[in-house]
Amino acid sequence: MNEQTTQATLASQTTQATQTFEYKAEMKQLLHLIVHSLYTHPEVFVRELISNASDALNKARYRQLTDTAILDYDTPLQITISADRDQHTFTIEDNGIGMEREDLLSKLGTIASSGTLEFLKNLQASGGKVDGTMIGQFGVGFYSVFMAADNVTVETRHASPDSIGLRWQSDGKGTFTIEETDKATRGTKISFTLKESAWEFSDEYRLKSIITKYSNFVDFPILIGSEHINSVKALWQLPKDQVSAEELTEFYKFLTNDYQAPLGHLQLSIEGSVNFKALLFVPETAPMRPTAFEQDKSLHLYSNKVMIQENCKELLPEYLRFMRGVVDTDDLPLNVSREVAQSSPAMAKISKVLTSKILNVLQEWEQSEPVKYETFYKNFGSLFKLGINSDYMNREAIINLLRFESSLQQKGTLVSFKDYVSRMRDEQTEIYYLSGEHRDVMAVNPNLEYFQKNNIEVLLLTDPVDIIIVPSIPSFEGKMLKSIDKADVNVSSAKSDTSDEPSRQATDDLLKLFKDVLADKVEDVVESHRLVDAVVTLVVGKEGMDVQMEKMMKMLDKDFKGSRKVLEVNTEHPMIKNLSQMCLANSEDVRLRQYILQLYESALLIEGNLTTPTLFIRRMWEIMSDATK
Ligand code: ADP
Ligand code: MG
């Protein structure tokens, strides 16, 4: 329907002359940035143009399988490059899917993702080098051509038989034009005269070396003159021992536009209830771009060496989407539609096998290559962990692969539940954890004091995702998991109760006064067994929500009311002893009420939940004025 409308409009414009369009402001900025900041590796424009041609050829090849009415049905798919050393001209031509007017406007006139410009600007402002080789990652690879040319012409004709030829031209600054041409063949031809600084790219020898460096794995012949430059090779089809480490790295870079080598890979050849070959990679770092860029990325699906679907999401569960690579299967017919492929049983089986193989690799790393595993975990852990709540089949395996900071380890060192349990003393029955935003802040959390004093390990959950997943794990190896923010945490109550009767009475009276003053604010006030140096702390009642979780809920919903907390009072603390004496002397003393409120709010402040800092500060000033009289 959509297509028809587009064509109808095009038909009525047949006699129209050249139309001029102005780039949006952000597009202009982006172009400026590309031309003036991406001074390293200008040769990547060759790669980007070839990569686009290859994408277009893949689309044409796929369409040919299902539609014989396609324009130039049986021409061999290929990319032809020609350059003239004397005229400094450069042309790259493909007989791929081509572009319609709408594509020229939306794909070659706007930035695909709104985050791109922001991101590049920030990177540049923070002194980060915007390396030319990175550009393809941002979905703006085409524009790298303006590193080499001032004026670019794109002549294109879409594969639909009734399409018309179009010419797009731009100086990469303010505007571009579109006009009709009489292009007879399907595909796209991009031509320009090289800037003086880029004359080297009209040298055939130089071009050949760039193509073998960056584009060797393109699935279609790349021709310069009649010479075939690239070695078309489906690596994943070869036996493992015939694939070198270099080829793997090159292939990975080609596939992902990453400029670094991958962290690791796995190559699979599966025969059985489902048959497929796969070559998968774990990237070294999470992509340096807003996550929005990533959402559509996944493995490419091939059927007998023909790519039938780019970024096929159904091949992997969401939590393993950091993986890159290709899967090639004969179990799906070539001309299967996207919808059918998605719901096919073969797809589900492939996904299941891939998942378990990937988890196996991670387990291997965890066991024998801990540094590699940590690199993986630090980069992709937040996504990976979510598998706990979505992949019940592999839940145990994922739980074993979790890592946390620990109160007994240096900042940055990660431990597993297994490590933790192996260090537990016999009398300890629970696995303790504390959640928070920053390790340094957590280290001085009053609720941690008891554990530190008694040398009991506490897992420190610093990743916001942890608050979602850890409470969903009730126990590990029979040990219950417990947040130390909770009131019923099993701290020993064997606190020496040497206090004599009168002072016991004073303490009880004081606690009663606390309850009185804070009646509508807390669930209860109790004597603490966990505090050492701190005077008071807030803990969560038995049924209450974890403090961090509550904070998150409040962020999502302004009206969210957290549950009331239990205030624990360190009755061994000299200040509390003083207060008990004051209370004994005169429980009506107004200062007592003031102090109690101040103590309560100080606990709120530590927790990050004090909403009335001004009142708190005013009270503090009053107390200090009083004390310095
Ligand atoms: P990306 O390739 O990441 O989408 P580019 O800036 O390289 O970003 O290309 C933008 C878009 O322009 C492509 O997605 C494609 O739709 C279109 N395009 C570019 N070159 C060609 C080509 N040779 N044939 C058909 N379409 C093309
Ligand atoms: Mg591209």
Side-chain angles (χ1 to χ4, degrees), residues 48-57 59 92-94 96-99 103 106-108 110 112 135-144 154 156 187-190 257 297:
E48 295 303 331
L49 294 182
I50 291 176
S51 146
N52 287 347
S54 160
D55 290 348
L57 286 164
K59 286 179 190 148
I92 173 170
E93 185 165 11
D94 66 69
I97 196 77
M99 283 179 271
D103 298 323
S106 64
K107 307 273 171 55
L108 295 191
T110 35
I135 191 168
Q137 292 186 46
F138 298 103
V140 292
F142 171 76
Y143 302 104
S144 62
V154 178
T156 187
T188 304
K189 177 177 174 181
I190 300 174
N257 280 335
K297 294 276 166 99

mmCIF file of all heavy atoms in Angstrom, residues 48-57 59 92-94 96-99 103 106-108 110 112 135-144 154 156 187-190 257 297, ligand 1:
data_model
loop_
_atom_site.group_PDB
_atom_site.id
_atom_site.type_symbol
_atom_site.label_atom_id
_atom_site.label_comp_id
_atom_site.label_asym_id
_atom_site.label_seq_id
_atom_site.Cartn_x
_atom_site.Cartn_y
_atom_site.Cartn_z
ATOM 1 N N GLU A 48 33.106 1.733 3.998
ATOM 2 C CA GLU A 48 31.698 2.048 4.243
ATOM 3 C C GLU A 48 30.868 1.958 2.965
ATOM 4 O O GLU A 48 29.744 1.465 2.988
ATOM 5 C CB GLU A 48 31.561 3.435 4.871
ATOM 6 C CG GLU A 48 32.174 3.543 6.277
ATOM 7 C CD GLU A 48 31.593 2.542 7.260
ATOM 8 O OE1 GLU A 48 30.416 2.161 7.099
ATOM 9 O OE2 GLU A 48 32.312 2.113 8.180
ATOM 10 N N LEU A 49 31.436 2.442 1.858
ATOM 11 C CA LEU A 49 30.682 2.375 0.602
ATOM 12 C C LEU A 49 30.525 0.924 0.155
ATOM 13 O O LEU A 49 29.465 0.513 -0.323
ATOM 14 C CB LEU A 49 31.365 3.213 -0.480
ATOM 15 C CG LEU A 49 31.393 4.733 -0.219
ATOM 16 C CD1 LEU A 49 32.053 5.463 -1.388
ATOM 17 C CD2 LEU A 49 29.993 5.286 0.028
ATOM 18 N N ILE A 50 31.591 0.148 0.355
ATOM 19 C CA ILE A 50 31.493 -1.276 -0.018
ATOM 20 C C ILE A 50 30.480 -1.979 0.885
ATOM 21 O O ILE A 50 29.674 -2.787 0.434
ATOM 22 C CB ILE A 50 32.877 -1.964 0.088
ATOM 23 C CG1 ILE A 50 33.802 -1.432 -1.013
ATOM 24 C CG2 ILE A 50 32.735 -3.474 -0.020
ATOM 25 C CD1 ILE A 50 35.223 -1.972 -0.951
ATOM 26 N N SER A 51 30.514 -1.635 2.151
ATOM 27 C CA SER A 51 29.602 -2.275 3.092
ATOM 28 C C SER A 51 28.144 -1.981 2.735
ATOM 29 O O SER A 51 27.281 -2.861 2.783
ATOM 30 C CB SER A 51 29.964 -1.830 4.512
ATOM 31 O OG SER A 51 28.831 -1.724 5.312
ATOM 32 N N ASN A 52 27.857 -0.753 2.337
ATOM 33 C CA ASN A 52 26.496 -0.416 1.907
ATOM 34 C C ASN A 52 26.113 -1.158 0.631
ATOM 35 O O ASN A 52 24.981 -1.638 0.497
ATOM 36 C CB ASN A 52 26.364 1.086 1.687
ATOM 37 C CG ASN A 52 26.339 1.849 3.003
ATOM 38 O OD1 ASN A 52 26.184 1.255 4.062
ATOM 39 N ND2 ASN A 52 26.502 3.161 2.925
ATOM 40 N N ALA A 53 27.078 -1.256 -0.284
ATOM 41 C CA ALA A 53 26.807 -1.981 -1.528
ATOM 42 C C ALA A 53 26.513 -3.444 -1.207
ATOM 43 O O ALA A 53 25.581 -4.050 -1.746
ATOM 44 C CB ALA A 53 28.000 -1.870 -2.468
ATOM 45 N N SER A 54 27.297 -3.993 -0.284
ATOM 46 C CA SER A 54 27.113 -5.386 0.100
ATOM 47 C C SER A 54 25.738 -5.601 0.762
ATOM 48 O O SER A 54 25.044 -6.575 0.467
ATOM 49 C CB SER A 54 28.260 -5.787 1.034
ATOM 50 O OG SER A 54 27.926 -6.901 1.779
ATOM 51 N N ASP A 55 25.334 -4.669 1.630
ATOM 52 C CA ASP A 55 23.990 -4.750 2.235
ATOM 53 C C ASP A 55 22.921 -4.761 1.146
ATOM 54 O O ASP A 55 21.966 -5.544 1.187
ATOM 55 C CB ASP A 55 23.711 -3.535 3.136
ATOM 56 C CG ASP A 55 24.543 -3.558 4.405
ATOM 57 O OD1 ASP A 55 25.151 -4.616 4.696
ATOM 58 O OD2 ASP A 55 24.585 -2.522 5.104
ATOM 59 N N ALA A 56 23.104 -3.865 0.179
ATOM 60 C CA ALA A 56 22.103 -3.739 -0.886
ATOM 61 C C ALA A 56 22.066 -5.004 -1.745
ATOM 62 O O ALA A 56 21.007 -5.445 -2.186
ATOM 63 C CB ALA A 56 22.417 -2.523 -1.744
ATOM 64 N N LEU A 57 23.245 -5.616 -1.943
ATOM 65 C CA LEU A 57 23.299 -6.852 -2.735
ATOM 66 C C LEU A 57 22.646 -8.006 -1.980
ATOM 67 O O LEU A 57 21.952 -8.836 -2.566
ATOM 68 C CB LEU A 57 24.752 -7.180 -3.086
ATOM 69 C CG LEU A 57 25.364 -6.281 -4.168
ATOM 70 C CD1 LEU A 57 26.880 -6.396 -4.180
ATOM 71 C CD2 LEU A 57 24.790 -6.636 -5.537
ATOM 72 N N LYS A 59 20.218 -7.757 0.043
ATOM 73 C CA LYS A 59 18.766 -7.570 -0.062
ATOM 74 C C LYS A 59 18.268 -8.020 -1.432
ATOM 75 O O LYS A 59 17.228 -8.666 -1.546
ATOM 76 C CB LYS A 59 18.396 -6.106 0.182
ATOM 77 C CG LYS A 59 18.501 -5.749 1.658
ATOM 78 C CD LYS A 59 18.166 -4.294 1.910
ATOM 79 C CE LYS A 59 18.524 -3.914 3.345
ATOM 80 N NZ LYS A 59 18.935 -2.513 3.474
ATOM 81 N N ILE A 92 31.970 3.789 -7.512
ATOM 82 C CA ILE A 92 31.656 2.458 -6.998
ATOM 83 C C ILE A 92 30.226 2.148 -7.391
ATOM 84 O O ILE A 92 29.337 2.972 -7.218
ATOM 85 C CB ILE A 92 31.865 2.341 -5.467
ATOM 86 C CG1 ILE A 92 31.348 0.983 -4.967
ATOM 87 C CG2 ILE A 92 31.219 3.480 -4.700
ATOM 88 C CD1 ILE A 92 31.731 0.673 -3.532
ATOM 89 N N GLU A 93 30.041 0.954 -7.968
ATOM 90 C CA GLU A 93 28.727 0.620 -8.497
ATOM 91 C C GLU A 93 28.304 -0.767 -8.032
ATOM 92 O O GLU A 93 29.118 -1.686 -7.986
ATOM 93 C CB GLU A 93 28.799 0.663 -10.033
ATOM 94 C CG GLU A 93 27.451 0.450 -10.668
ATOM 95 C CD GLU A 93 27.435 0.847 -12.147
ATOM 96 O OE1 GLU A 93 28.523 1.086 -12.720
ATOM 97 O OE2 GLU A 93 26.330 0.907 -12.714
ATOM 98 N N ASP A 94 27.046 -0.897 -7.665
ATOM 99 C CA ASP A 94 26.526 -2.220 -7.313
ATOM 100 C C ASP A 94 25.218 -2.445 -8.035
ATOM 101 O O ASP A 94 24.560 -1.492 -8.445
ATOM 102 C CB ASP A 94 26.320 -2.322 -5.786
ATOM 103 C CG ASP A 94 25.231 -1.400 -5.272
ATOM 104 O OD1 ASP A 94 24.051 -1.645 -5.586
ATOM 105 O OD2 ASP A 94 25.560 -0.422 -4.541
ATOM 106 N N GLY A 96 22.677 -3.933 -6.514
ATOM 107 C CA GLY A 96 21.873 -4.348 -5.356
ATOM 108 C C GLY A 96 20.450 -3.838 -5.444
ATOM 109 O O GLY A 96 19.953 -3.543 -6.538
ATOM 110 N N ILE A 97 19.826 -3.694 -4.295
ATOM 111 C CA ILE A 97 18.401 -3.397 -4.244
ATOM 112 C C ILE A 97 18.059 -1.982 -4.740
ATOM 113 O O ILE A 97 16.951 -1.720 -5.187
ATOM 114 C CB ILE A 97 17.867 -3.626 -2.805
ATOM 115 C CG1 ILE A 97 16.345 -3.706 -2.746
ATOM 116 C CG2 ILE A 97 18.384 -2.556 -1.844
ATOM 117 C CD1 ILE A 97 15.776 -5.016 -3.221
ATOM 118 N N GLY A 98 19.024 -1.063 -4.668
ATOM 119 C CA GLY A 98 18.761 0.302 -5.117
ATOM 120 C C GLY A 98 17.915 1.092 -4.133
ATOM 121 O O GLY A 98 17.559 0.589 -3.073
ATOM 122 N N MET A 99 17.641 2.343 -4.480
ATOM 123 C CA MET A 99 16.875 3.198 -3.576
ATOM 124 C C MET A 99 15.730 3.882 -4.303
ATOM 125 O O MET A 99 15.856 4.241 -5.481
ATOM 126 C CB MET A 99 17.777 4.252 -2.943
ATOM 127 C CG MET A 99 18.642 3.708 -1.816
ATOM 128 S SD MET A 99 19.716 4.990 -1.119
ATOM 129 C CE MET A 99 21.147 4.835 -2.168
ATOM 130 N N ASP A 103 13.758 6.602 0.050
ATOM 131 C CA ASP A 103 15.018 6.180 0.683
ATOM 132 C C ASP A 103 16.048 7.303 0.616
ATOM 133 O O ASP A 103 16.775 7.560 1.578
ATOM 134 C CB ASP A 103 15.613 4.959 -0.028
ATOM 135 C CG ASP A 103 14.690 3.746 0.051
ATOM 136 O OD1 ASP A 103 14.049 3.584 1.101
ATOM 137 O OD2 ASP A 103 14.614 2.992 -0.932
ATOM 138 N N SER A 106 15.009 9.770 3.264
ATOM 139 C CA SER A 106 15.081 9.382 4.676
ATOM 140 C C SER A 106 16.432 8.772 5.043
ATOM 141 O O SER A 106 16.905 8.919 6.161
ATOM 142 C CB SER A 106 13.949 8.429 5.024
ATOM 143 O OG SER A 106 14.105 7.235 4.296
ATOM 144 N N LYS A 107 17.086 8.082 4.108
ATOM 145 C CA LYS A 107 18.333 7.407 4.459
ATOM 146 C C LYS A 107 19.557 8.265 4.178
ATOM 147 O O LYS A 107 20.539 8.201 4.886
ATOM 148 C CB LYS A 107 18.461 6.085 3.702
ATOM 149 C CG LYS A 107 17.272 5.161 3.846
ATOM 150 C CD LYS A 107 17.417 4.287 5.072
ATOM 151 C CE LYS A 107 16.175 3.476 5.406
ATOM 152 N NZ LYS A 107 15.703 2.647 4.298
ATOM 153 N N LEU A 108 19.482 9.057 3.104
ATOM 154 C CA LEU A 108 20.652 9.873 2.783
ATOM 155 C C LEU A 108 20.418 11.352 3.108
ATOM 156 O O LEU A 108 21.135 12.218 2.655
ATOM 157 C CB LEU A 108 21.036 9.724 1.303
ATOM 158 C CG LEU A 108 21.514 8.340 0.863
ATOM 159 C CD1 LEU A 108 22.103 8.402 -0.530
ATOM 160 C CD2 LEU A 108 22.545 7.748 1.815
ATOM 161 N N THR A 110 18.926 12.251 6.483
ATOM 162 C CA THR A 110 18.703 12.435 7.922
ATOM 163 C C THR A 110 19.581 11.479 8.715
ATOM 164 O O THR A 110 20.054 10.483 8.191
ATOM 165 C CB THR A 110 17.235 12.136 8.289
ATOM 166 O OG1 THR A 110 16.775 11.083 7.464
ATOM 167 C CG2 THR A 110 16.358 13.337 8.125
ATOM 168 N N ALA A 112 19.908 8.580 11.245
ATOM 169 C CA ALA A 112 18.994 7.504 11.635
ATOM 170 C C ALA A 112 18.605 7.603 13.106
ATOM 171 O O ALA A 112 17.448 7.537 13.470
ATOM 172 C CB ALA A 112 19.628 6.158 11.340
ATOM 173 N N ILE A 135 33.303 5.147 12.547
ATOM 174 C CA ILE A 135 32.104 5.797 12.017
ATOM 175 C C ILE A 135 30.996 4.833 11.608
ATOM 176 O O ILE A 135 29.810 5.103 11.817
ATOM 177 C CB ILE A 135 32.457 6.750 10.863
ATOM 178 C CG1 ILE A 135 31.235 7.601 10.512
ATOM 179 C CG2 ILE A 135 32.983 6.018 9.663
ATOM 180 C CD1 ILE A 135 31.529 8.743 9.616
ATOM 181 N N GLY A 136 31.392 3.676 11.075
ATOM 182 C CA GLY A 136 30.390 2.729 10.620
ATOM 183 C C GLY A 136 29.454 2.272 11.729
ATOM 184 O O GLY A 136 28.311 1.906 11.487
ATOM 185 N N GLN A 137 29.953 2.316 12.966
ATOM 186 C CA GLN A 137 29.147 1.887 14.103
ATOM 187 C C GLN A 137 27.956 2.788 14.351
ATOM 188 O O GLN A 137 27.038 2.420 15.053
ATOM 189 C CB GLN A 137 29.974 1.924 15.385
ATOM 190 C CG GLN A 137 31.067 0.910 15.433
ATOM 191 C CD GLN A 137 31.728 0.931 16.796
ATOM 192 O OE1 GLN A 137 31.059 0.959 17.814
ATOM 193 N NE2 GLN A 137 33.036 0.931 16.803
ATOM 194 N N PHE A 138 28.009 3.987 13.828
ATOM 195 C CA PHE A 138 26.978 4.949 14.179
ATOM 196 C C PHE A 138 25.825 5.018 13.181
ATOM 197 O O PHE A 138 24.950 5.848 13.312
ATOM 198 C CB PHE A 138 27.594 6.340 14.334
ATOM 199 C CG PHE A 138 28.609 6.393 15.422
ATOM 200 C CD1 PHE A 138 29.954 6.404 15.134
ATOM 201 C CD2 PHE A 138 28.199 6.403 16.746
ATOM 202 C CE1 PHE A 138 30.886 6.433 16.150
ATOM 203 C CE2 PHE A 138 29.129 6.438 17.754
ATOM 204 C CZ PHE A 138 30.478 6.448 17.460
ATOM 205 N N GLY A 139 25.855 4.172 12.178
ATOM 206 C CA GLY A 139 24.782 4.210 11.199
ATOM 207 C C GLY A 139 24.849 5.440 10.312
ATOM 208 O O GLY A 139 23.856 5.894 9.788
ATOM 209 N N VAL A 140 26.031 6.030 10.192
ATOM 210 C CA VAL A 140 26.192 7.191 9.317
ATOM 211 C C VAL A 140 27.393 6.986 8.395
ATOM 212 O O VAL A 140 28.017 7.933 7.950
ATOM 213 C CB VAL A 140 26.375 8.507 10.122
ATOM 214 C CG1 VAL A 140 25.096 8.855 10.850
ATOM 215 C CG2 VAL A 140 27.526 8.402 11.112
ATOM 216 N N GLY A 141 27.688 5.722 8.105
ATOM 217 C CA GLY A 141 28.869 5.370 7.314
ATOM 218 C C GLY A 141 28.917 6.054 5.963
ATOM 219 O O GLY A 141 29.991 6.453 5.506
ATOM 220 N N PHE A 142 27.781 6.219 5.344
ATOM 221 C CA PHE A 142 27.745 6.809 4.009
ATOM 222 C C PHE A 142 28.465 8.161 3.973
ATOM 223 O O PHE A 142 29.202 8.472 3.040
ATOM 224 C CB PHE A 142 26.298 6.970 3.529
ATOM 225 C CG PHE A 142 26.191 7.767 2.269
ATOM 226 C CD1 PHE A 142 26.530 7.216 1.035
ATOM 227 C CD2 PHE A 142 25.790 9.097 2.317
ATOM 228 C CE1 PHE A 142 26.453 7.971 -0.128
ATOM 229 C CE2 PHE A 142 25.713 9.855 1.155
ATOM 230 C CZ PHE A 142 26.055 9.299 -0.067
ATOM 231 N N TYR A 143 28.239 8.945 5.020
ATOM 232 C CA TYR A 143 28.775 10.313 5.008
ATOM 233 C C TYR A 143 30.289 10.388 5.100
ATOM 234 O O TYR A 143 30.869 11.439 4.886
ATOM 235 C CB TYR A 143 28.132 11.144 6.122
ATOM 236 C CG TYR A 143 26.641 11.183 5.959
ATOM 237 C CD1 TYR A 143 25.815 10.411 6.765
ATOM 238 C CD2 TYR A 143 26.072 11.945 4.948
ATOM 239 C CE1 TYR A 143 24.444 10.404 6.576
ATOM 240 C CE2 TYR A 143 24.712 11.945 4.747
ATOM 241 C CZ TYR A 143 23.900 11.175 5.564
ATOM 242 O OH TYR A 143 22.569 11.160 5.362
ATOM 243 N N SER A 144 30.919 9.254 5.433
ATOM 244 C CA SER A 144 32.381 9.264 5.470
ATOM 245 C C SER A 144 32.931 9.606 4.086
ATOM 246 O O SER A 144 34.087 9.983 3.951
ATOM 247 C CB SER A 144 32.919 7.922 5.953
ATOM 248 O OG SER A 144 32.544 6.913 5.057
ATOM 249 N N VAL A 154 24.984 10.288 -6.389
ATOM 250 C CA VAL A 154 24.466 8.927 -6.239
ATOM 251 C C VAL A 154 23.403 8.729 -7.302
ATOM 252 O O VAL A 154 22.410 9.457 -7.332
ATOM 253 C CB VAL A 154 23.842 8.722 -4.840
ATOM 254 C CG1 VAL A 154 23.252 7.316 -4.718
ATOM 255 C CG2 VAL A 154 24.866 8.980 -3.742
ATOM 256 N N THR A 156 20.765 5.969 -8.734
ATOM 257 C CA THR A 156 20.233 4.716 -8.216
ATOM 258 C C THR A 156 18.912 4.366 -8.869
ATOM 259 O O THR A 156 18.173 5.243 -9.337
ATOM 260 C CB THR A 156 20.079 4.809 -6.676
ATOM 261 O OG1 THR A 156 19.711 3.526 -6.167
ATOM 262 C CG2 THR A 156 19.023 5.835 -6.261
ATOM 263 N N GLY A 187 20.209 -0.926 -9.156
ATOM 264 C CA GLY A 187 21.347 -0.740 -8.256
ATOM 265 C C GLY A 187 21.781 0.706 -8.105
ATOM 266 O O GLY A 187 21.063 1.628 -8.492
ATOM 267 N N THR A 188 22.978 0.872 -7.547
ATOM 268 C CA THR A 188 23.424 2.200 -7.155
ATOM 269 C C THR A 188 24.848 2.466 -7.631
ATOM 270 O O THR A 188 25.723 1.602 -7.518
ATOM 271 C CB THR A 188 23.367 2.329 -5.617
ATOM 272 O OG1 THR A 188 22.043 2.026 -5.189
ATOM 273 C CG2 THR A 188 23.745 3.725 -5.153
ATOM 274 N N LYS A 189 25.055 3.658 -8.135
ATOM 275 C CA LYS A 189 26.400 4.050 -8.576
ATOM 276 C C LYS A 189 26.750 5.350 -7.862
ATOM 277 O O LYS A 189 25.992 6.323 -7.935
ATOM 278 C CB LYS A 189 26.373 4.266 -10.087
ATOM 279 C CG LYS A 189 27.678 4.741 -10.676
ATOM 280 C CD LYS A 189 27.502 4.842 -12.182
ATOM 281 C CE LYS A 189 28.713 5.448 -12.858
ATOM 282 N NZ LYS A 189 28.502 5.562 -14.301
ATOM 283 N N ILE A 190 27.852 5.338 -7.172
ATOM 284 C CA ILE A 190 28.252 6.533 -6.431
ATOM 285 C C ILE A 190 29.544 7.051 -7.044
ATOM 286 O O ILE A 190 30.508 6.294 -7.185
ATOM 287 C CB ILE A 190 28.447 6.198 -4.938
ATOM 288 C CG1 ILE A 190 27.121 5.657 -4.365
ATOM 289 C CG2 ILE A 190 28.926 7.416 -4.144
ATOM 290 C CD1 ILE A 190 27.215 5.168 -2.953
ATOM 291 N N ASN A 257 31.958 -3.866 12.439
ATOM 292 C CA ASN A 257 32.527 -2.516 12.390
ATOM 293 C C ASN A 257 33.292 -2.179 13.652
ATOM 294 O O ASN A 257 33.635 -1.028 13.876
ATOM 295 C CB ASN A 257 31.450 -1.450 12.192
ATOM 296 C CG ASN A 257 31.046 -1.352 10.746
ATOM 297 O OD1 ASN A 257 31.818 -1.699 9.867
ATOM 298 N ND2 ASN A 257 29.832 -0.905 10.512
ATOM 299 N N LYS A 297 20.545 -4.947 17.093
ATOM 300 C CA LYS A 297 21.631 -5.805 16.644
ATOM 301 C C LYS A 297 21.487 -7.222 17.184
ATOM 302 O O LYS A 297 21.063 -7.426 18.309
ATOM 303 C CB LYS A 297 22.979 -5.240 17.103
ATOM 304 C CG LYS A 297 23.315 -3.920 16.460
ATOM 305 C CD LYS A 297 23.944 -4.131 15.096
ATOM 306 C CE LYS A 297 23.998 -2.875 14.276
ATOM 307 N NZ LYS A 297 25.261 -2.202 14.289
HETATM 308 P P1 ADP B 1 23.955 2.127 7.591
HETATM 309 O O1 ADP B 1 24.647 1.371 6.502
HETATM 310 O O2 ADP B 1 24.505 1.819 8.942
HETATM 311 O O3 ADP B 1 22.457 2.024 7.512
HETATM 312 P P2 ADP B 1 24.890 4.363 6.084
HETATM 313 O O4 ADP B 1 25.065 5.804 6.388
HETATM 314 O O5 ADP B 1 26.130 3.635 5.662
HETATM 315 O O6 ADP B 1 24.282 3.689 7.368
HETATM 316 O O7 ADP B 1 23.796 4.179 4.979
HETATM 317 C C1 ADP B 1 22.538 4.764 5.144
HETATM 318 C C2 ADP B 1 21.477 4.085 4.298
HETATM 319 O O8 ADP B 1 21.549 4.477 2.945
HETATM 320 C C3 ADP B 1 21.542 2.583 4.233
HETATM 321 O O9 ADP B 1 20.932 1.985 5.341
HETATM 322 C C4 ADP B 1 20.772 2.278 2.942
HETATM 323 O O10 ADP B 1 19.380 2.272 3.184
HETATM 324 C C5 ADP B 1 21.106 3.449 2.093
HETATM 325 N N1 ADP B 1 22.192 3.119 1.164
HETATM 326 C C6 ADP B 1 23.461 3.549 1.203
HETATM 327 N N2 ADP B 1 24.199 3.043 0.203
HETATM 328 C C7 ADP B 1 23.356 2.260 -0.525
HETATM 329 C C8 ADP B 1 23.509 1.433 -1.696
HETATM 330 N N3 ADP B 1 24.672 1.314 -2.336
HETATM 331 N N4 ADP B 1 22.408 0.781 -2.150
HETATM 332 C C9 ADP B 1 21.215 0.903 -1.528
HETATM 333 N N5 ADP B 1 21.026 1.642 -0.413
HETATM 334 C C10 ADP B 1 22.072 2.317 0.087
#
